[in-house]
Amino acid sequence: MNSRIQFSDFNLSKEVGKAIEDMGFEEPTPIQALAIPLIQSGRDVTAQAQTGTGKTAAFGIPVIEKIDPANRAVQAIVLCPTRELAIQIAEEFSSLLAHLPRITVLPVYGGQPIERQLRALHSGVHIVIGTPGRVMDHLRRRTLSLRDVTTVVLDEADQMLDMGFRDDIELILKNVPQARQTLLFSATMPQPIIDISKRFQNKPEFVRVQYAELTVPQTEQSYIEVKDRDKLDVLCRLIDLADPQLAIVFCNTKRRAEELSGKVRARGYRADELHGDMKQSQRDRVMGGFRKGSIDILIATDVAARGIDVDDVDIVINFDVPQDVEYYVHRIGRTGRAGKSGRAVTFVSPRDYTKLHEIQKYAKVQIPRIPVPTESDVAETRTRSVIEKVRETIKAGGIEGYVRIVENESEGDLSSVEIAAALLKLQMEQGSGEAEQKPAVADFGDTGAEHGMVRFFLAVGRQHKVAPKDIVGAIAGETGIPGKAIGAIRILDSYSFVEVPKEHAADVYTIMKERTIRNQPTGIEPASGNRA
């Protein structure tokens, strides 16, 4: 796994490296791995890459690294066909610039009051991202100067030509100094694009990402339109409805996988996460639990999923639409193996539709939309499941004694149908999952904690260079409980104490037994009643 190119191989500034880490990206996508080193070396690049391949970061990272913050002039310009794409690119640049506040980005497009753009340009902007029409407008008004530009990016160049922007692009490029780097990104390479490349690029390096073939005929694919804030509820309903023996839920970043795993466990599901930063021993433990059936739901990132080799996955759920179209194929190929049919459901938020269309175009499939599962759908499924168990119980026999009881009761004021219906209602109200039948709060006895809390002993202390933030970070990160819910922490030389809310204590105890703090086994145990 580590033989692949990592972001650390690109020799990035610590600020950009930190931003990439914050965004949660584990490793470069194929187009990033190919394009970033070439762009960093100063070469002109022509890249054939579709939307949804991570191409914005492929040019964004090296473009940002070239900017001189002290020079308050436009040093890079990105041309793209639509206002939506201009906004999207500007948002991604802003994320990459999170730790470089002195570098400024301005999207310029039609439909936005030009005065706002004029004020921003007057105060000084380093990177302009715009549609050709609005950029030409500024050039005509002399409100935008391109004389300090050292990098030009033409993004979705084929679409810009289709929309009739060829003359504008040529005029804009003539306003940029000859001693520049020109980067061209296009999904297709028709002759007019090759002509633009020949005229305006200097010995460009051509890169192309070859997509893998889609070979998952056994997988039933669908998508659900769902807002980000509703995804967790919909995920839990979908799991309840599908009742899978094994499910894999895919997230785009390790941070997202960790957060989701904690939230899903907190709702009583047997889930664990798998991401690229985990040690091999941790990965083996999680995969062992998945194979043995002690974990029903695996919440994974694309990088971590390469190590998954399990045939009995009933359903794959894309909690996030993948950032690289090819990842979609790898993800859904995890189900429907060994001759079995499988299901893949993708959660699509309103901003994800462009990526969804790319996936359908590339995979040559129509992915149908299915309705958001409702509580009544879940209740109906659970009812059917209980009735099925009743049938199996009748077939298995040994119910004669119970038949006599019901017969006796039904001779009074109750009919056998009413008795059966009431028993079914009781069963449904009790809930059907093991998680709901567990006692809500485990009793750890007197641990010397504050009221409503449980105090744990940890076999790590000052000599292991452990600080309170390490303990809070480990517990919150591994169990999903909020850091602010963790109570008093006392760190001594070779051991520590920490208090957690009683309702989370069982989860903390079970999960942290298997985890480490600053690479030391936690040695977690309930503390004794007398406070040390």
Side-chain angles (χ1 to χ4, degrees):
M1 192 175 73
N2 292 332
S3 62
R4 288 171 177 265
I5 290 176
Q6 305 296 312
F7 281 111
S8 54
D9 297 331
F10 297 142
N11 198 22
L12 303 174
S13 65
K14 65 177 189 298
E15 292 86 357
V16 171
K18 179 79 172 73
I20 290 166
E21 198 179 308
D22 291 349
M23 291 163 83
F25 297 143
E26 293 187 289
E27 68 173 31
T29 65
I31 192 66
Q32 290 163 5
L34 288 168
I36 290 174
L38 287 169
I39 299 171
Q40 283 180 319
S41 72
R43 294 291 302 271
D44 282 7
V45 172
T46 298
Q48 187 168 352
Q50 273 86 350
T51 302
T53 55
K55 65 182 167 69
T56 304
F59 58 75
I61 290 168
V63 162
I64 286 166
E65 292 281 16
K66 266 177 81 174
I67 300 295
D68 173 10
N71 178 9
R72 301 289 294 173
V74 178
Q75 296 166 50
I77 182 162
V78 180
L79 296 178
C80 59
T82 63
R83 55 174 289 173
E84 290 76 23
L85 189 57
I87 293 164
Q88 196 180 311
I89 294 169
E91 282 174 357
E92 186 140 0
F93 267 68
S94 296
S95 299
L96 290 166
L97 287 165
H99 302 286
L100 288 165
R102 291 176 62 213
I103 297 179
T104 51
V105 176
L106 178 70
V108 302
Y109 48 84
Q112 185 193 46
I114 200 161
E115 291 73 25
R116 191 183 306 164
Q117 296 170 10
L118 294 174
R119 282 196 301 274
L121 286 165
H122 184 68
S123 60
V125 170
H126 296 105
I127 303 166
V128 166
I129 294 155
T131 50
R134 183 51 72 98
V135 169
M136 278 302 300
D137 203 359
H138 281 291
L139 289 175
R140 278 192 287 267
R141 290 168 180 254
R142 300 181 178 226
T143 49
L144 170 64
S145 165
L146 302 179
R147 66 171 176 266
D148 287 277
V149 168
T150 57
T151 315
V152 177
V153 182
L154 306 178
D155 191 22
E156 304 211 350
D158 50 355
Q159 207 182 327
M160 286 198 286
L161 294 191
D162 287 347
M163 291 168 75
F165 285 134
R166 183 180 182 130
D167 291 346
D168 285 350
I169 291 168
E170 293 193 0
L171 279 167
I172 292 164
L173 288 169
K174 282 174 184 164
N175 274 273
V176 180
Q178 281 290 304
R180 63 164 187 259
Q181 186 176 23
T182 309
L183 312 172
L184 188 152
F185 284 75
S186 186
T188 58
M189 284 290 154
Q191 194 56 44
I193 294 288
I194 294 162
D195 294 344
I196 289 261
S197 171
K198 278 181 181 157
R199 281 189 62 194
F200 294 101
Q201 288 189 296
N202 177 28
K203 297 180 185 159
E205 188 79 38
F206 182 81
V207 296
R208 180 184 183 185
V209 175
Q210 287 285 5
Y211 280 140
E213 284 301 304
L214 182 74
T215 51
V216 278
Q218 297 287 84
T219 305
E220 176 202 322
Q221 300 168 60
S222 56
Y223 79 89
I224 295 173
E225 186 181 315
V226 54
K227 292 189 176 76
D228 256 348
R229 65 171 179 268
D230 299 326
K231 281 184 175 182
L232 179 61
D233 285 337
V234 173
L235 174 69
C236 293
R237 275 188 223 155
L238 189 59
I239 293 282
D240 289 344
L241 207 55
D243 192 23
Q245 291 210 294
L246 290 177
I248 301 180
V249 179
F250 278 102
C251 297
N252 281 356
T253 69
K254 59 192 174 214
R255 178 174 296 174
R256 183 93 146 163
E258 287 169 341
E259 283 173 3
L260 181 61
S261 179
K263 286 174 182 170
V264 168
R265 279 198 301 272
R267 292 191 176 204
Y269 297 88
R270 300 188 308 171
D272 214 331
E273 76 268 9
L274 200 67
H275 59 73
D277 277 1
M278 290 168 72
K279 293 192 185 73
Q280 193 56 47
S281 58
Q282 292 174 305
R283 293 169 62 88
D284 291 345
R285 178 188 55 75
V286 173
M287 287 310 299
F290 199 42
R291 287 195 182 91
K292 289 199 302 263
S294 59
I295 296 168
D296 305 325
I297 305 163
L298 188 62
I299 297 169
T301 59
D302 294 290
V303 172
R306 293 188 195 122
I308 299 173
D309 186 23
V310 183
D311 284 337
D312 299 325
V313 178
D314 304 313
I315 187 168
V316 164
I317 299 165
N318 292 313
F319 196 78
D320 299 318
V321 178
Q323 57 156 339
D324 187 325
V325 181
E326 196 169 322
Y327 288 166
Y328 177 80
V329 178
H330 295 315
R331 287 179 181 188
I332 70 171
R334 301 283 161 196
T335 181
R337 294 165 88 176
K340 296 181 181 174
S341 61
R343 273 186 79 193
V345 181
T346 301
F347 289 179
V348 177
S349 66
R351 61 161 58 185
D352 291 326
Y353 271 97
T354 310
K355 281 186 183 173
L356 180 72
H357 293 316
E358 278 298 328
I359 287 167
Q360 294 189 114
K361 186 171 132 194
Y362 154 56
K364 300 183 181 66
V365 289
Q366 271 306 111
I367 303 173
R369 178 176 167 178
I370 58 171
V372 174
T374 62
E375 294 286 5
S376 59
D377 292 336
V378 174
E380 190 183 321
T381 302
R382 276 164 54 182
T383 306
R384 279 204 303 270
S385 171
V386 172
I387 297 290
E388 197 48 50
K389 282 178 185 159
V390 168
R391 286 184 199 282
E392 287 167 12
T393 306
I394 293 168
K395 257 191 217 162
I399 61 168
E400 295 75 13
Y402 298 100
V403 169
R404 279 196 293 279
I405 294 167
V406 173
E407 281 174 346
N408 290 340
E409 291 298 330
S410 59
E411 284 169 9
D413 58 346
L414 298 172
S415 73
S416 53
V417 170
E418 285 173 322
I419 292 169
L423 287 168
L424 179 59
K425 182 171 185 280
L426 280 171
Q427 174 67 24
M428 292 302 294
E429 283 173 355
Q430 278 174 7
S432 58
E434 286 176 272
E436 290 165 300
Q437 290 165 9
K438 284 193 298 194
V441 178
D443 185 12
F444 286 93
D446 178 17
T447 60
E450 294 290 326
H451 179 69
M453 306 289 274
V454 172
R455 193 167 67 121
F456 286 110
F457 163 91
L458 298 169
V460 291
R462 276 195 290 265
Q463 70 188 44
H464 307 107
K465 298 191 168 50
V466 165
K469 66 180 172 55
D470 298 314
I471 293 174
V472 171
I475 293 174
E478 296 289 356
T479 66
I481 74 170
K484 59 177 181 254
I486 296 167
I489 293 173
R490 188 166 176 222
I491 299 175
L492 295 131
D493 272 348
S494 58
Y495 57 93
S496 305
F497 294 98
V498 60
E499 294 187 7
V500 300
K502 197 173 268 188
E503 65 271 23
H504 297 302
D507 269 350
V508 169
Y509 184 48
T510 308
I511 292 163
M512 294 309 293
K513 254 187 169 336
E514 306 286 337
R515 304 299 202 264
T516 59
I517 296 175
R518 289 197 77 93
N519 295 324
Q520 296 292 320
T522 62
I524 189 167
E525 290 299 338
S528 60
N530 46 343
R531 294 177 72 87

